[in-house]
Amino acid sequence: MAASSKFTGAASALAISAVLINSAAIVATVAGTTAAQAATVSRIDVRGNAQVDAQTVKDNLGITPDKPFSSADIDAATKRLFNTGLFSDVRITQSGCALIVTVSEHQIVNQIIFQGNKKIKDTQLAQAVKLKPRSPFDQQTLDADTEAVRAAYHNTGRNDATVSSRLMNLDGGRVNVVFDINEGDRTKIANIVFVGNRAFNTRRLRDLMTTRRSNFLSWLTRNDVYSEERMRADEEILQRFYYEHGYADFRVISSTANLDAATNEYTITVTVDEGEKYTFGGVEIQSSVDGVDTSKLGGLVHTKEGTTYNAREVEDSVSKLSEQVAGQGYAFAKIDPRGDRNFQNHTISVVYNIDQGPRAYLERIEIRGNAKTRDYVIRREFDVSEGDAFNQVLIQRAKKRLERLDFFQSVNISTTPGSQPDQVVLIVDVVEKSSGDFSIGGGYTTSGDQSGPSVEGSITEKNFLGRGQYLRLSAGTTLFNSQNYQSYALSFTEPYFLGQRISAGFDIYKRQSGVTDKYLTDTTGGSIRFGLPISTDLTAGVAYNLSQQKITIDDAALTASGVPDPTLVSQAYIDAASQGTWIKSSVSWSLVYNTIDDGKNPHDGLYAKFEQEAAGLGGDASFLKTTFKSSFYKTLSAQQDIVGLVRVGGGYIKELGNNGLSVFDTFQSSSDMIRGFSYAGIGPRDSRVTDADGSFVGGTTYVNATAETQFPVPLIPESVGIRGAVFSDVATLFGSDNAYATNTDMQWRASVGAGIMWASPFGPLRFDYAIPVLKVDGDQVQNFSFNMSSKF
């Protein structure tokens, strides 16, 4: 018992001692912590700095002598110094009454040097790296830049390019950064193979892709560079093509690229499952939104029972319905098309459900990948902005607008959740492409001994300075004796005038034309124009035009008494020359309807333009000129990629004043009117002129039509971009008040021919050879011509 009491007493004493000791420790710790939190120093010493001024270091500390600071303040000061990017290491310690800040400075980049590069210029590589002259050197940034240079070569098809980096130390803590480059050989694409395709042949599918087989022009186009991102975009193109031709179950099973190391060439294999071809079954509109009358919406639906299933027609129907319902005040209404497949008869019945969608708002729009195109050029194509109700239909419409700009190789739009449950962030990823074209064109006259070529060149930039502006500069001349022609023109268009969806632009031109030893016409003029979109497919335009024209009779066409010889030059030109300068001041307006699916390679759609020009607002000319032209494209065989074209046009000019119609104002024939005949080679002509040159005086009325079939050219790879055409043209040009004119009645001309269309790296070119099969005595023939391909 005594022993137990002694043990208990000892344990109690031990416990009490432990409590006292721990209490003292806790007090000491608290006291120490309090002391640390309330520490002060009388000075700050900076050590290790050579390039950076000590005061700069002190200014970034946030700690002031003789003022209390804590360990948290020291941590914050350390982070601030690191964030300046000037130092590779920072240590802050306290020694007595001094705060010691020891830094290790980054070296300063003096120069970025690229060695061994020939295929990519220094300026292009400098844009790819983040290290810049006079910036702090950082090893992690250098490693990333090395990969960026390597990626730049991979994007040009040089996958075996090697890039290494090294430093050249200079005095004063400076370094030169050197990238040593072995460019290697450029990879090519030997073949693109499709497996599983039955409805469309391999050539047709390859023609859809942006990735192309290598050819003799690939060094210019660079469309034979393999990349996974490009292949993903091509898979989407293929999928959309099949969806628009009835194959709603189509899918790309795989796409693989195998590189032959011996030849440095890829073989791409795309395996597809086409599925069955569907037609539309029943089409119905249902609504759960009170106030929406579905019976009045049927006319907005493009899908029709019994026609081939087309995903684009479904999208267009959803867009039209969304516009109508939103216009009725239902901003959050959602149109959801539901397809019901019938696998037995291969039909898809579509029900357009109109429901009240979730209330979601657009928090912000993020744009990525636009190195040249400015952000606002992309943003203005959206009908929604930050804070607006989120509308998927309007987003898809903006995507189509961006694609139509032809500035981008691909446009992808996705969404991510915003900062709040009802907020959405829109991500716009674009891949830019070249927006400039250099084009050449001309013709060749084969009339008698006065044959020879003419040439015209132009430079076009569709995205000038990344602002989305259109700029075109062109010049042309003849290279043979019988015709004199020179032209210079400058055109500029701002598509969003004053921030509105109204285009504004101007044209300035100077032309000299005529016939050697007979006359010379000198024309200088310009126009100011505006365009206003009325709907997605319809656009209105208005312009003011001013021109000054003058004809000079050549000395060789004068008689011995010094007056023009009417047997050499038409009286129409003699009268115009006697009038001196002819000034035309006019206003014009137009309506353009355009549903063409692809402006560069049209397969389906209608382009129609109606225009009137009224002259008489001052000047000498006074008339009302009306013209119309339309082009209708239709795919005749999707399997063989055969396209039909029907084009019709016409014009009429009526005198309004008492000055009569000048030869400047009448219609002249051209290859756009009928091929196989020279410019101003048909229509009314002066019967007193013994030579056909210079005898055509133009007409007051014309009508023309074309029937054409376009097709791939056998044995020529689709990657070259060449298509063939056979055509037949008919036209008539008549009407003249010239007292000596003949052929003033309606007389038809016709020609047949063949052509080659080439989507060349220099711009679209077209070569035509036409043979007149119906002509009138005196008409001038021009069998062969080539020019920049003008689709519309």
Short mmCIF file of all heavy atoms in Angstrom, two decimals, residues 175-226:
data_model
loop_
_atom_site.label_atom_id
_atom_site.label_comp_id
_atom_site.label_asym_id
_atom_site.label_seq_id
_atom_site.Cartn_x
_atom_site.Cartn_y
_atom_site.Cartn_z
N VAL A 175 23.35 36.90 -73.33
CA VAL A 175 23.55 35.67 -74.09
C VAL A 175 22.90 35.81 -75.47
O VAL A 175 21.90 36.50 -75.63
CB VAL A 175 22.96 34.44 -73.38
CG1 VAL A 175 23.70 34.12 -72.10
CG2 VAL A 175 21.47 34.61 -73.13
N ASN A 176 23.50 35.17 -76.43
CA ASN A 176 22.86 34.95 -77.73
C ASN A 176 22.26 33.55 -77.72
O ASN A 176 22.93 32.58 -77.33
CB ASN A 176 23.87 35.07 -78.87
CG ASN A 176 24.23 36.50 -79.18
OD1 ASN A 176 23.53 37.43 -78.75
ND2 ASN A 176 25.33 36.71 -79.90
N VAL A 177 21.01 33.44 -78.15
CA VAL A 177 20.34 32.14 -78.24
C VAL A 177 20.41 31.68 -79.69
O VAL A 177 19.97 32.37 -80.61
CB VAL A 177 18.87 32.24 -77.79
CG1 VAL A 177 18.18 30.89 -77.94
CG2 VAL A 177 18.79 32.74 -76.35
N VAL A 178 21.01 30.49 -79.90
CA VAL A 178 21.23 29.98 -81.24
C VAL A 178 20.41 28.71 -81.44
O VAL A 178 20.49 27.79 -80.61
CB VAL A 178 22.73 29.70 -81.49
CG1 VAL A 178 22.94 29.20 -82.92
CG2 VAL A 178 23.55 30.95 -81.23
N PHE A 179 19.62 28.68 -82.52
CA PHE A 179 18.88 27.48 -82.90
C PHE A 179 19.58 26.88 -84.12
O PHE A 179 19.65 27.51 -85.18
CB PHE A 179 17.43 27.80 -83.25
CG PHE A 179 16.62 28.26 -82.07
CD1 PHE A 179 16.46 29.60 -81.80
CD2 PHE A 179 15.99 27.33 -81.25
CE1 PHE A 179 15.71 30.03 -80.73
CE2 PHE A 179 15.23 27.75 -80.17
CZ PHE A 179 15.09 29.10 -79.90
N ASP A 180 20.11 25.68 -83.95
CA ASP A 180 20.75 24.97 -85.05
C ASP A 180 19.72 24.05 -85.69
O ASP A 180 19.15 23.17 -85.02
CB ASP A 180 21.95 24.16 -84.55
CG ASP A 180 23.07 25.08 -84.07
OD1 ASP A 180 23.47 25.96 -84.85
OD2 ASP A 180 23.52 24.90 -82.92
N ILE A 181 19.47 24.23 -86.99
CA ILE A 181 18.37 23.55 -87.68
C ILE A 181 18.92 22.70 -88.81
O ILE A 181 19.72 23.16 -89.63
CB ILE A 181 17.38 24.59 -88.25
CG1 ILE A 181 16.83 25.46 -87.12
CG2 ILE A 181 16.24 23.90 -88.99
CD1 ILE A 181 16.06 26.66 -87.60
N ASN A 182 18.46 21.47 -88.84
CA ASN A 182 18.67 20.60 -90.00
C ASN A 182 17.27 20.36 -90.60
O ASN A 182 16.47 19.61 -90.03
CB ASN A 182 19.33 19.29 -89.59
CG ASN A 182 19.59 18.37 -90.77
OD1 ASN A 182 19.21 18.67 -91.90
ND2 ASN A 182 20.24 17.25 -90.51
N GLU A 183 16.99 21.01 -91.71
CA GLU A 183 15.63 21.02 -92.23
C GLU A 183 15.17 19.66 -92.75
O GLU A 183 13.97 19.36 -92.75
CB GLU A 183 15.49 22.06 -93.34
CG GLU A 183 15.69 23.49 -92.84
CD GLU A 183 15.50 24.52 -93.92
OE1 GLU A 183 16.01 24.28 -95.04
OE2 GLU A 183 14.89 25.56 -93.67
N GLY A 184 16.07 18.83 -93.18
CA GLY A 184 15.69 17.52 -93.68
C GLY A 184 14.88 17.64 -94.97
O GLY A 184 14.80 18.69 -95.60
N ASP A 185 14.26 16.55 -95.37
CA ASP A 185 13.45 16.52 -96.59
C ASP A 185 11.99 16.68 -96.22
O ASP A 185 11.54 16.26 -95.16
CB ASP A 185 13.65 15.19 -97.34
CG ASP A 185 15.07 15.05 -97.87
OD1 ASP A 185 15.65 16.08 -98.24
OD2 ASP A 185 15.58 13.91 -97.89
N ARG A 186 11.24 17.27 -97.15
CA ARG A 186 9.81 17.48 -96.93
C ARG A 186 9.06 16.18 -97.21
O ARG A 186 9.26 15.54 -98.25
CB ARG A 186 9.28 18.59 -97.84
CG ARG A 186 7.90 19.08 -97.44
CD ARG A 186 7.54 20.33 -98.19
NE ARG A 186 7.14 20.06 -99.55
CZ ARG A 186 5.89 19.78 -99.91
NH1 ARG A 186 4.93 19.73 -99.01
NH2 ARG A 186 5.59 19.56 -101.17
N THR A 187 8.19 15.81 -96.29
CA THR A 187 7.36 14.64 -96.52
C THR A 187 6.30 14.96 -97.57
O THR A 187 5.89 16.10 -97.73
CB THR A 187 6.68 14.18 -95.23
OG1 THR A 187 5.87 15.25 -94.71
CG2 THR A 187 7.69 13.76 -94.20
N LYS A 188 5.85 13.95 -98.26
CA LYS A 188 4.82 14.10 -99.28
C LYS A 188 3.70 13.09 -99.02
O LYS A 188 3.82 12.23 -98.14
CB LYS A 188 5.41 13.90 -100.68
CG LYS A 188 6.49 14.90 -101.04
CD LYS A 188 7.03 14.65 -102.44
CE LYS A 188 8.10 15.66 -102.81
NZ LYS A 188 8.64 15.45 -104.17
N ILE A 189 2.63 13.23 -99.75
CA ILE A 189 1.53 12.28 -99.65
C ILE A 189 1.44 11.54 -100.97
O ILE A 189 1.08 12.11 -102.01
CB ILE A 189 0.19 12.98 -99.33
CG1 ILE A 189 0.29 13.67 -97.97
CG2 ILE A 189 -0.97 12.00 -99.37
CD1 ILE A 189 -0.95 14.43 -97.57
N ALA A 190 1.81 10.30 -100.96
CA ALA A 190 1.84 9.50 -102.18
C ALA A 190 0.44 9.10 -102.62
O ALA A 190 0.14 9.10 -103.82
CB ALA A 190 2.70 8.25 -101.97
N ASN A 191 -0.42 8.79 -101.66
CA ASN A 191 -1.75 8.31 -102.04
C ASN A 191 -2.72 8.48 -100.89
O ASN A 191 -2.33 8.49 -99.71
CB ASN A 191 -1.69 6.83 -102.45
CG ASN A 191 -2.86 6.43 -103.33
OD1 ASN A 191 -3.68 7.27 -103.71
ND2 ASN A 191 -2.96 5.16 -103.65
N ILE A 192 -3.99 8.65 -101.24
CA ILE A 192 -5.08 8.66 -100.27
C ILE A 192 -6.06 7.58 -100.70
O ILE A 192 -6.64 7.66 -101.79
CB ILE A 192 -5.77 10.03 -100.20
CG1 ILE A 192 -4.77 11.13 -99.83
CG2 ILE A 192 -6.92 9.99 -99.20
CD1 ILE A 192 -5.36 12.53 -99.84
N VAL A 193 -6.20 6.58 -99.88
CA VAL A 193 -6.99 5.39 -100.22
C VAL A 193 -8.24 5.35 -99.35
O VAL A 193 -8.18 5.61 -98.14
CB VAL A 193 -6.16 4.10 -100.01
CG1 VAL A 193 -6.97 2.87 -100.36
CG2 VAL A 193 -4.88 4.17 -100.85
N PHE A 194 -9.37 5.02 -99.97
CA PHE A 194 -10.62 4.85 -99.23
C PHE A 194 -11.02 3.39 -99.25
O PHE A 194 -10.92 2.70 -100.28
CB PHE A 194 -11.73 5.70 -99.84
CG PHE A 194 -11.66 7.16 -99.47
CD1 PHE A 194 -10.87 8.02 -100.20
CD2 PHE A 194 -12.36 7.64 -98.38
CE1 PHE A 194 -10.78 9.36 -99.86
CE2 PHE A 194 -12.28 8.97 -98.03
CZ PHE A 194 -11.49 9.83 -98.77
N VAL A 195 -11.49 2.93 -98.11
CA VAL A 195 -11.96 1.55 -97.96
C VAL A 195 -13.40 1.61 -97.46
O VAL A 195 -13.70 2.32 -96.49
CB VAL A 195 -11.08 0.76 -96.97
CG1 VAL A 195 -11.63 -0.65 -96.79
CG2 VAL A 195 -9.63 0.73 -97.45
N GLY A 196 -14.28 0.86 -98.11
CA GLY A 196 -15.67 0.78 -97.67
C GLY A 196 -16.61 1.69 -98.42
O GLY A 196 -17.83 1.65 -98.19
N ASN A 197 -16.12 2.51 -99.32
CA ASN A 197 -16.99 3.41 -100.08
C ASN A 197 -17.58 2.70 -101.29
O ASN A 197 -16.87 2.07 -102.07
CB ASN A 197 -16.22 4.66 -100.52
CG ASN A 197 -14.97 4.34 -101.33
OD1 ASN A 197 -14.16 3.51 -100.92
ND2 ASN A 197 -14.82 4.99 -102.46
N ARG A 198 -18.88 2.81 -101.44
CA ARG A 198 -19.58 2.22 -102.58
C ARG A 198 -20.36 3.27 -103.37
O ARG A 198 -20.38 3.25 -104.58
CB ARG A 198 -20.56 1.14 -102.10
CG ARG A 198 -19.95 0.03 -101.28
CD ARG A 198 -21.00 -1.02 -100.89
NE ARG A 198 -22.22 -0.43 -100.37
CZ ARG A 198 -22.40 -0.05 -99.11
NH1 ARG A 198 -21.41 -0.20 -98.23
NH2 ARG A 198 -23.55 0.47 -98.72
N ALA A 199 -21.01 4.20 -102.67
CA ALA A 199 -21.85 5.18 -103.34
C ALA A 199 -21.04 6.21 -104.11
O ALA A 199 -21.46 6.68 -105.17
CB ALA A 199 -22.74 5.89 -102.32
N PHE A 200 -19.86 6.57 -103.60
CA PHE A 200 -19.02 7.57 -104.24
C PHE A 200 -17.62 7.01 -104.42
O PHE A 200 -17.08 6.38 -103.51
CB PHE A 200 -18.97 8.85 -103.40
CG PHE A 200 -20.32 9.46 -103.15
CD1 PHE A 200 -20.98 9.22 -101.95
CD2 PHE A 200 -20.93 10.24 -104.10
CE1 PHE A 200 -22.22 9.77 -101.71
CE2 PHE A 200 -22.18 10.80 -103.88
CZ PHE A 200 -22.83 10.56 -102.69
N ASN A 201 -17.07 7.26 -105.62
CA ASN A 201 -15.75 6.69 -105.88
C ASN A 201 -14.66 7.47 -105.14
O ASN A 201 -14.88 8.57 -104.63
CB ASN A 201 -15.46 6.63 -107.38
CG ASN A 201 -15.51 8.00 -108.05
OD1 ASN A 201 -15.11 9.00 -107.46
ND2 ASN A 201 -16.03 8.05 -109.27
N THR A 202 -13.49 6.88 -105.13
CA THR A 202 -12.37 7.45 -104.37
C THR A 202 -11.99 8.83 -104.88
O THR A 202 -11.69 9.73 -104.09
CB THR A 202 -11.16 6.51 -104.43
OG1 THR A 202 -11.50 5.28 -103.77
CG2 THR A 202 -9.95 7.12 -103.75
N ARG A 203 -12.00 9.03 -106.19
CA ARG A 203 -11.65 10.34 -106.74
C ARG A 203 -12.58 11.42 -106.23
O ARG A 203 -12.15 12.52 -105.88
CB ARG A 203 -11.67 10.30 -108.27
CG ARG A 203 -11.26 11.62 -108.91
CD ARG A 203 -11.54 11.65 -110.40
NE ARG A 203 -11.13 12.94 -110.94
CZ ARG A 203 -10.01 13.16 -111.62
NH1 ARG A 203 -9.16 12.17 -111.84
NH2 ARG A 203 -9.72 14.37 -112.07
N ARG A 204 -13.89 11.11 -106.18
CA ARG A 204 -14.86 12.11 -105.71
C ARG A 204 -14.61 12.47 -104.26
O ARG A 204 -14.68 13.64 -103.87
CB ARG A 204 -16.29 11.55 -105.86
CG ARG A 204 -17.37 12.52 -105.39
CD ARG A 204 -17.49 13.68 -106.35
NE ARG A 204 -18.50 14.63 -105.93
CZ ARG A 204 -18.25 15.79 -105.36
NH1 ARG A 204 -16.99 16.14 -105.12
NH2 ARG A 204 -19.21 16.62 -105.05
N LEU A 205 -14.30 11.47 -103.42
CA LEU A 205 -14.07 11.73 -102.00
C LEU A 205 -12.76 12.47 -101.78
O LEU A 205 -12.67 13.35 -100.93
CB LEU A 205 -14.09 10.42 -101.22
CG LEU A 205 -15.42 9.65 -101.27
CD1 LEU A 205 -15.32 8.37 -100.44
CD2 LEU A 205 -16.58 10.50 -100.78
N ARG A 206 -11.73 12.11 -102.55
CA ARG A 206 -10.46 12.83 -102.42
C ARG A 206 -10.60 14.29 -102.79
O ARG A 206 -9.95 15.17 -102.22
CB ARG A 206 -9.39 12.16 -103.30
CG ARG A 206 -8.80 10.89 -102.71
CD ARG A 206 -7.50 10.52 -103.39
NE ARG A 206 -7.65 10.26 -104.80
CZ ARG A 206 -7.26 9.13 -105.41
NH1 ARG A 206 -6.70 8.16 -104.70
NH2 ARG A 206 -7.41 8.97 -106.70
N ASP A 207 -11.48 14.58 -103.75
CA ASP A 207 -11.68 15.95 -104.20
C ASP A 207 -12.30 16.82 -103.11
O ASP A 207 -12.16 18.05 -103.12
CB ASP A 207 -12.57 15.96 -105.45
CG ASP A 207 -12.61 17.32 -106.11
OD1 ASP A 207 -11.55 17.90 -106.35
OD2 ASP A 207 -13.74 17.82 -106.36
N LEU A 208 -13.01 16.20 -102.16
CA LEU A 208 -13.63 16.95 -101.07
C LEU A 208 -12.62 17.39 -100.02
O LEU A 208 -12.82 18.40 -99.34
CB LEU A 208 -14.71 16.10 -100.40
CG LEU A 208 -15.91 15.68 -101.25
CD1 LEU A 208 -16.73 14.65 -100.49
CD2 LEU A 208 -16.76 16.88 -101.61
N MET A 209 -11.55 16.65 -99.88
CA MET A 209 -10.63 16.85 -98.78
C MET A 209 -9.71 18.05 -99.01
O MET A 209 -9.38 18.39 -100.14
CB MET A 209 -9.79 15.58 -98.55
CG MET A 209 -10.62 14.35 -98.22
SD MET A 209 -9.62 12.84 -98.16
CE MET A 209 -8.49 13.22 -96.82
N THR A 210 -9.29 18.67 -97.92
CA THR A 210 -8.29 19.72 -98.01
C THR A 210 -6.88 19.13 -98.07
O THR A 210 -5.96 19.78 -98.58
CB THR A 210 -8.38 20.66 -96.80
OG1 THR A 210 -8.15 19.92 -95.59
CG2 THR A 210 -9.75 21.31 -96.72
N THR A 211 -6.71 17.92 -97.56
CA THR A 211 -5.44 17.20 -97.69
C THR A 211 -5.37 16.59 -99.08
O THR A 211 -6.29 15.88 -99.49
CB THR A 211 -5.32 16.10 -96.64
OG1 THR A 211 -5.48 16.66 -95.33
CG2 THR A 211 -3.98 15.40 -96.71
N ARG A 212 -4.30 16.87 -99.81
CA ARG A 212 -4.20 16.45 -101.20
C ARG A 212 -2.98 15.59 -101.44
O ARG A 212 -1.99 15.66 -100.71
CB ARG A 212 -4.11 17.68 -102.11
CG ARG A 212 -5.30 18.62 -102.00
CD ARG A 212 -6.47 18.11 -102.80
NE ARG A 212 -7.61 19.00 -102.77
CZ ARG A 212 -8.61 18.97 -103.64
NH1 ARG A 212 -8.57 18.08 -104.62
NH2 ARG A 212 -9.62 19.78 -103.54
N ARG A 213 -3.05 14.79 -102.50
CA ARG A 213 -1.87 14.05 -102.93
C ARG A 213 -0.84 15.02 -103.52
O ARG A 213 -1.19 16.05 -104.09
CB ARG A 213 -2.26 13.00 -103.97
CG ARG A 213 -3.11 11.88 -103.42
CD ARG A 213 -3.32 10.80 -104.46
NE ARG A 213 -4.14 11.26 -105.58
CZ ARG A 213 -4.36 10.57 -106.70
NH1 ARG A 213 -3.78 9.39 -106.85
NH2 ARG A 213 -5.12 11.04 -107.66
N SER A 214 0.41 14.67 -103.38
CA SER A 214 1.47 15.52 -103.89
C SER A 214 1.45 15.55 -105.41
O SER A 214 1.18 14.55 -106.07
CB SER A 214 2.83 15.03 -103.40
OG SER A 214 2.90 15.04 -101.99
N ASN A 215 1.73 16.76 -105.96
CA ASN A 215 1.86 16.91 -107.40
C ASN A 215 2.93 17.95 -107.68
O ASN A 215 3.59 18.45 -106.77
CB ASN A 215 0.51 17.30 -108.03
CG ASN A 215 -0.04 18.61 -107.48
OD1 ASN A 215 0.55 19.66 -107.63
ND2 ASN A 215 -1.19 18.52 -106.81
N PHE A 216 3.11 18.29 -108.95
CA PHE A 216 4.21 19.16 -109.33
C PHE A 216 4.04 20.59 -108.83
O PHE A 216 4.98 21.39 -108.89
CB PHE A 216 4.38 19.17 -110.86
CG PHE A 216 3.22 19.79 -111.60
CD1 PHE A 216 3.28 21.11 -112.04
CD2 PHE A 216 2.08 19.05 -111.86
CE1 PHE A 216 2.22 21.67 -112.71
CE2 PHE A 216 1.02 19.61 -112.54
CZ PHE A 216 1.09 20.92 -112.97
N LEU A 217 2.85 20.95 -108.32
CA LEU A 217 2.63 22.29 -107.80
C LEU A 217 2.51 22.32 -106.28
O LEU A 217 2.20 23.37 -105.71
CB LEU A 217 1.36 22.89 -108.42
CG LEU A 217 1.45 23.29 -109.89
CD1 LEU A 217 0.09 23.70 -110.43
CD2 LEU A 217 2.46 24.43 -110.08
N SER A 218 2.75 21.21 -105.65
CA SER A 218 2.57 21.15 -104.19
C SER A 218 3.53 22.06 -103.45
O SER A 218 3.24 22.49 -102.33
CB SER A 218 2.76 19.70 -103.70
OG SER A 218 1.73 18.87 -104.20
N TRP A 219 4.65 22.37 -104.05
CA TRP A 219 5.61 23.27 -103.39
C TRP A 219 5.03 24.68 -103.26
O TRP A 219 5.47 25.47 -102.43
CB TRP A 219 6.92 23.31 -104.15
CG TRP A 219 6.79 23.89 -105.55
CD1 TRP A 219 6.38 23.24 -106.67
CD2 TRP A 219 7.07 25.23 -105.94
NE1 TRP A 219 6.38 24.10 -107.74
CE2 TRP A 219 6.80 25.33 -107.32
CE3 TRP A 219 7.52 26.36 -105.27
CZ2 TRP A 219 6.97 26.50 -108.04
CZ3 TRP A 219 7.69 27.54 -105.97
CH2 TRP A 219 7.42 27.60 -107.35
N LEU A 220 3.99 24.99 -104.06
CA LEU A 220 3.32 26.27 -103.96
C LEU A 220 2.09 26.20 -103.06
O LEU A 220 1.86 27.07 -102.21
CB LEU A 220 2.90 26.76 -105.35
CG LEU A 220 3.98 27.40 -106.22
CD1 LEU A 220 3.44 27.67 -107.62
CD2 LEU A 220 4.46 28.70 -105.59
N THR A 221 1.28 25.18 -103.26
CA THR A 221 0.01 25.09 -102.54
C THR A 221 0.17 24.59 -101.11
O THR A 221 -0.61 24.96 -100.23
CB THR A 221 -0.96 24.17 -103.29
OG1 THR A 221 -0.38 22.85 -103.36
CG2 THR A 221 -1.21 24.68 -104.70
N ARG A 222 1.16 23.73 -100.88
CA ARG A 222 1.42 23.15 -99.56
C ARG A 222 0.18 22.44 -98.98
O ARG A 222 -0.01 22.41 -97.78
CB ARG A 222 1.91 24.21 -98.59
CG ARG A 222 3.24 24.84 -98.99
CD ARG A 222 4.34 23.80 -99.00
NE ARG A 222 5.60 24.32 -99.50
CZ ARG A 222 6.55 24.85 -98.73
NH1 ARG A 222 6.36 24.94 -97.44
NH2 ARG A 222 7.67 25.28 -99.26
N ASN A 223 -0.66 21.90 -99.87
CA ASN A 223 -1.83 21.18 -99.38
C ASN A 223 -1.58 19.68 -99.29
O ASN A 223 -2.51 18.90 -99.09
CB ASN A 223 -3.06 21.45 -100.27
CG ASN A 223 -2.79 21.16 -101.74
OD1 ASN A 223 -1.83 20.47 -102.08
ND2 ASN A 223 -3.64 21.67 -102.60
N ASP A 224 -0.31 19.27 -99.43
CA ASP A 224 0.03 17.86 -99.28
C ASP A 224 0.80 17.61 -97.99
O ASP A 224 1.58 16.67 -97.90
CB ASP A 224 0.85 17.38 -100.48
CG ASP A 224 2.21 18.07 -100.58
OD1 ASP A 224 2.34 19.19 -100.04
OD2 ASP A 224 3.13 17.50 -101.18
N VAL A 225 0.56 18.47 -97.00
CA VAL A 225 1.20 18.32 -95.69
C VAL A 225 0.25 17.56 -94.78
O VAL A 225 -0.89 17.99 -94.55
CB VAL A 225 1.54 19.69 -95.08
CG1 VAL A 225 2.11 19.52 -93.69
CG2 VAL A 225 2.52 20.43 -95.98
N TYR A 226 0.71 16.46 -94.25
CA TYR A 226 -0.14 15.66 -93.38
C TYR A 226 -0.10 16.20 -91.95
O TYR A 226 0.97 16.52 -91.42
CB TYR A 226 0.31 14.19 -93.36
CG TYR A 226 -0.43 13.39 -92.30
CD1 TYR A 226 -1.73 12.98 -92.51
CD2 TYR A 226 0.17 13.10 -91.07
CE1 TYR A 226 -2.42 12.27 -91.53
CE2 TYR A 226 -0.50 12.40 -90.09
CZ TYR A 226 -1.81 11.99 -90.34
OH TYR A 226 -2.49 11.32 -89.36
#
